[in-house]
Amino acid sequence: MNQQQIIRQTEEYVKKTLSGECTGHDWFHVERVRKIALCIGKQENADLFVIELAALLHDIADHKFHGGDTSIGAKKAQEFLESQGVSKEIIQNIYYIVENISFKGGISKLMITPEGKIVQDADRLDALGAIGIGRTFAYGGHKGRELYNPAFTSHTSLAHFDEKLLKLKNIMNTGTGKKLAEERHNYVLKFKQRFLKEWEGEI
Ligand code: NI
């Protein structure tokens, strides 16, 4: 199989696996991360085949059932890539990326390879900007959280802005990622300021 065929097979596999996913890690999220990652990859001269595969497979673990066990997704990705005849070296790279990409409890592991750094940046960029805001409120609703409550500094959707979204700009890996994060970060900040103004009933 050539690289194009492997990409196509991977796309089908991921689409099938993620259908019905509603916690913000759905197929459309994966597709956005793939596009952003490829765009950064071109700027940074990285291996676009590895980037595309890793982006497609980065959320392959079903978050609803597997909780915090990130090696389940990595193993699933490994098995799939082996079935496609992908080289051992590439599989190892992607295994590490899938296992360590997520932001869990405020800490995400350092990425080692350029492709890992790029896919992680793309995943973080999709948590910022207008999409990031939308995902935050959708996820909050899914978890039964309030939009906002002035009495709480956590467990509301707006509190998640400070807990996660507004920290992302400072942990971007690549120069291109940093540049892209800046604009999305400022958009989130502006949204938050306006939200709080409207919360007070200001017109
Ligand atoms: Ni993701």
Side-chain angles (χ1 to χ4, degrees):
M1 252 190 297
N2 66 32
Q3 292 192 344
Q4 267 322 307
Q5 287 168 316
I6 295 173
I7 295 283
R8 223 170 301 132
Q9 297 279 14
T10 309
E11 191 180 313
E12 283 312 308
Y13 170 68
V14 175
K15 262 188 198 164
K16 216 169 61 197
T17 310
L18 294 183
S19 69
E21 168 64 46
C22 58
T23 60
H25 302 275
D26 56 12
W27 165 251
F28 296 108
H29 160 68
V30 169
E31 207 169 28
R32 289 189 302 268
V33 170
R34 169 206 213 169
K35 279 187 193 153
I36 301 168
L38 284 174
C39 174
I40 300 174
K42 281 176 197 148
Q43 300 286 327
E44 305 272 331
N45 290 319
D47 186 329
L48 297 180
F49 177 60
V50 175
I51 287 177
E52 194 162 10
L53 284 181
L56 283 168
L57 290 162
H58 87 276
D59 272 330
I60 198 68
D62 192 324
H63 293 255
K64 280 174 298 198
F65 300 114
H66 303 315
D69 189 354
T70 48
S71 70
I72 289 171
K75 279 178 200 138
K76 260 172 123 171
Q78 178 185 8
E79 268 167 37
F80 174 77
L81 293 172
E82 277 168 358
S83 78
Q84 303 300 304
V86 173
S87 80
K88 233 184 176 161
E89 201 186 315
I90 291 179
I91 293 178
Q92 257 175 12
N93 189 351
I94 293 175
Y95 186 98
Y96 184 88
I97 296 172
V98 176
E99 191 176 26
N100 296 296
I101 194 166
S102 311
F103 188 96
K104 295 242 156 54
I107 302 157
S108 46
K109 282 240 188 99
L110 284 181
M111 282 292 159
I112 302 166
T113 59
E115 294 78 28
K117 291 180 204 278
I118 288 166
V119 176
Q120 190 174 50
D121 274 3
D123 197 31
R124 287 169 173 167
L125 282 163
D126 201 53
L128 277 171
I131 293 281
I133 292 169
R135 288 179 70 203
T136 300
F137 286 108
Y139 185 73
H142 176 78
K143 289 268 175 188
R145 292 178 184 158
E146 292 178 285
L147 293 181
Y148 173 59
N149 188 328
F152 302 128
T153 52
S154 65
H155 295 100
T156 71
S157 290
L158 200 74
H160 194 66
F161 281 42
D162 290 317
E163 289 169 336
K164 180 183 171 185
L165 273 58
L166 295 168
K167 288 180 178 166
L168 294 172
K169 178 176 74 96
N170 293 328
I171 54 170
M172 299 299 287
N173 300 306
T174 65
T176 311
K178 276 191 185 108
K179 236 187 280 165
L180 295 170
E182 190 76 35
E183 197 195 335
R184 291 189 178 208
H185 175 91
N186 291 336
Y187 185 86
V188 174
L189 207 58
K190 257 181 143 170
F191 176 93
K192 187 191 155 193
Q193 285 158 355
R194 173 151 184 155
F195 182 102
L196 291 170
K197 246 172 101 173
E198 291 183 11
W199 185 269
E200 297 300 330
E202 280 187 44
I203 49 170

